Amino acid sequence: MMSTAAGQSSETAGAALPVALGGASGALSGFFITVVSARSLSPADNTLFLTFWAALFAIIAIVAGLQNEVTRAVRRDRVEGCERVESGERMENPERVENRDRVESRAGVDSGAAGPRYRTSPVLICAGVGVCAALLVLAATPLWLRVFHGFSGHGLLIAFIALGVLLNSVHLGLLGVFAGRGKWKIFGTLTSLEPALRFLFIAVAGYLSLALHLYALACVLACGTWLLLSAAPGVRALARTRINIAPRGLVRRLLLAMAATGASALLINGFPLLMSLTTEPVVFSEAAPLIQAVSVTRAPLMLPLVAFQSMVITVFVQHPERTRGYVLRLAVIVGGIGGIGALAAAACGPWLMAVIFGPAYANTPLILGFLVLAAACLALLTLTGAVALAADHHRLNILGWCVALVVSVAIMLLPVCLETRTVASLVVGPLLGSICHIFGLVRRTR
């Protein structure tokens, strides 16, 4: 058991750099894409592009539960397999068992499994979920027509969203396998390359002053980055990984994880959709500066954090006894970062926004300061939700996100100005959801 723990600890220790690079790539790519769109599109077109961006990544964020649950399932399968092997066969003939493990790992077979043996492919199941999600996107066309009101090419935008969610479902399944197997270099390569290619495609579209729907296509094409990496034999071998869990059981857990990320999707990625649905079209058409501010203030915290989620899950799966202390520490750290960031944003934010995006995007110090504080609340909710998932408390994870979503939607329906509704919704909802997670985790670990 000691050798297994040491091996898993060394894997986690080596994860930080590649995962950090992937998170940094995502953060920088998202930031520069918003700069390109603000500088190359009119405010009205940029509002539409940012709404498409939010719609695409809201749907992708819903299926992002695939990555988290596949990470947990593959890691748990591996830990339990090592424990079974170490308690029996490995002690008798370690060399023979080690050789067998290498062969079975390449073949995607669960080593040391006891009881019913399943050879379930997480990646294939994620692909199936992606097909279903794409069909649901197309079936929801009447809703999308309201979101993209006033744009004649809405049919193409809807088709691009469906294609993006299909490609990204496989992408997420692969990331879950990489994280669960401790293959952090490959994980970091894929998480770095995908946003970098997206920025490259958008930059070309901006340089050539292409039509709006081609900006949208540029976003979607990057979702297929995994196709480039699949040429490597090592990646193909990992994609064939099998785990000892019944397919029905894996699908059920995936759906539970996606229920939580469905609520998170609207708050993290799809909030401009909520703004659009609760605001008069004339008012929303001038909301590009506020949408841009929401995106920019949360990106430095949320994008690296999303990249680190898989690493957080693997740590808590291996060390469930540390849950209570770690969660309370995380709350203090995130709160401190949010407070300092809010003061900095209020002091320098309006000037920076005007310099980078143009004078129309300046916003007020109060709005930018509160939006950074809102980003910290959202980051805390994301972290506590990941910890609940790692501890196999799916219902607690869902409860926290649903509380946050219901409160945020209720605030967005209030008859006050868009700026006030947006700030209050993004602070109060996630904060209450985080409190639900923390209270539940502390109570369960007493």
Side-chain angles (χ1 to χ4, degrees), residues 11 36 74-75 82 92 140 180 214 237 241 258 351 373 417 436 438:
E11 280 179 5
V36 171
V74 171
R75 173 59 67 169
C82 289
E92 297 175 4
L214 293 178
T241 292
M258 287 169 61
W351 175 77
L373 196 61
C417 70
C436 287
I438 293 171

Side-chain angles (χ1 to χ4, degrees), residues 62-63 65-67 69-70 72-73 118 120-130 132 243-261 389 394 398:
I62 293 174
V63 297
L66 298 175
Q67 178 183 333
E69 178 54 30
V70 169
R72 191 202 65 80
Y118 298 97
T120 303
S121 169
V123 174
L124 286 179
I125 286 185
C126 288
V129 171
C132 295
I243 57 177
N244 186 28
I245 182 173
R248 181 179 296 180
L250 179 59
V251 170
R252 182 180 66 84
R253 290 175 179 275
L254 288 173
L255 292 177
L256 285 171
M258 287 169 61
T261 53
L389 179 64
H394 285 79
I398 293 170

Side-chain angles (χ1 to χ4, degrees), residues 331-348:
V332 173
I333 292 171
V334 172
I337 293 173
I340 294 170
L343 293 175
C348 307

Side-chain angles (χ1 to χ4, degrees), residues 200-226:
L200 176 63
F201 296 154
I202 290 288
V204 170
Y207 179 76
L208 298 177
S209 300
L210 298 179
L212 180 62
H213 65 276
L214 293 178
Y215 279 76
L217 179 60
C219 286
V220 170
L221 289 178
C223 295
T225 303
W226 57 269

Side-chain angles (χ1 to χ4, degrees), residues 363-407:
N363 283 284
T364 67
L366 195 62
I367 287 176
L368 293 176
F370 272 111
L371 285 178
V372 170
L373 196 61
C377 294
L378 200 52
L380 181 61
L381 179 62
T382 303
L383 276 173
T384 54
V387 175
L389 179 64
D392 209 13
H393 299 320
H394 285 79
R395 287 181 177 82
L396 176 61
N397 184 27
I398 293 170
L399 175 63
W401 280 107
C402 286
V403 166
L405 178 61
V406 169
V407 172

Side-chain angles (χ1 to χ4, degrees), residues 87-105:
S87 64
E89 192 174 5
R90 189 176 298 275
M91 294 178 66
E92 297 175 4
N93 193 338
E95 290 186 5
R96 178 172 63 83
V97 176
E98 185 67 27
N99 290 335
R100 188 202 66 187
D101 282 353
R102 289 198 192 99
V103 173
E104 290 189 343
S105 177

Side-chain angles (χ1 to χ4, degrees), residues 136-342:
L136 287 174
V137 167
L138 296 176
T141 295
L143 177 61
W144 295 121
L145 293 180
R146 182 176 176 184
V147 171
F148 298 122
H149 49 73
F151 180 61
S152 57
H154 49 69
L156 282 174
L157 297 185
I158 297 167
F160 291 159
I161 293 172
L163 176 61
V165 73
L166 173 59
L167 291 173
N168 211 264
S169 295
V170 181
H171 171 92
L172 293 165
L174 287 170
L175 288 178
V177 170
F178 298 159
R181 294 284 297 273
K183 305 299 182 182
W184 296 109
K185 288 184 179 179
I186 302 175
F187 181 98
T189 299
L190 184 52
T191 54
S192 299
L193 189 59
E194 192 247 11
L197 286 178
R198 180 173 291 110
F199 169 65
L200 176 63
F201 296 154
I202 290 288
V204 170
Y207 179 76
L208 298 177
S209 300
L210 298 179
L212 180 62
H213 65 276
L214 293 178
Y215 279 76
L217 179 60
C219 286
V220 170
L221 289 178
C223 295
T225 303
W226 57 269
L227 290 167
L228 299 177
L229 295 186
S230 64
V235 174
R236 290 201 301 271
L238 287 168
R240 292 194 294 269
T241 292
R242 302 290 191 271
I243 57 177
N244 186 28
I245 182 173
R248 181 179 296 180
L250 179 59
V251 170
R252 182 180 66 84
R253 290 175 179 275
L254 288 173
L255 292 177
L256 285 171
M258 287 169 61
T261 53
S264 72
L266 193 55
L267 291 177
I268 296 178
N269 304 89
F271 197 78
L273 298 182
L274 183 58
M275 296 168 66
S276 173
L277 293 171
T278 58
T279 307
E280 290 294 326
V282 175
V283 176
F284 185 72
S285 66
E286 301 176 356
L290 182 60
I291 298 173
Q292 198 82 283
V294 170
S295 174
V296 169
T297 52
R298 66 173 48 173
L301 266 177
M302 291 305 303
L303 288 175
L305 180 60
V306 169
F308 271 96
Q309 261 189 296
S310 292
M311 186 177 170
V312 170
I313 291 170
T314 60
V315 169
F316 280 96
V317 167
Q318 291 170 206
H319 303 289
E321 72 282 356
R322 302 179 185 176
T323 298
R324 184 178 179 182
Y326 277 4
V327 165
L328 295 176
R329 251 179 269 170
L330 283 173
V332 173
I333 292 171
V334 172
I337 293 173
I340 294 170

Side-chain angles (χ1 to χ4, degrees), residues 1-4 79-92 97 112 114:
M1 289 291 292
M2 290 179 65
S3 63
T4 303
V79 169
E80 290 178 350
C82 289
E83 287 173 351
R84 288 191 294 266
V85 170
E86 286 193 348
S87 64
E89 192 174 5
R90 189 176 298 275
M91 294 178 66
E92 297 175 4
V97 176

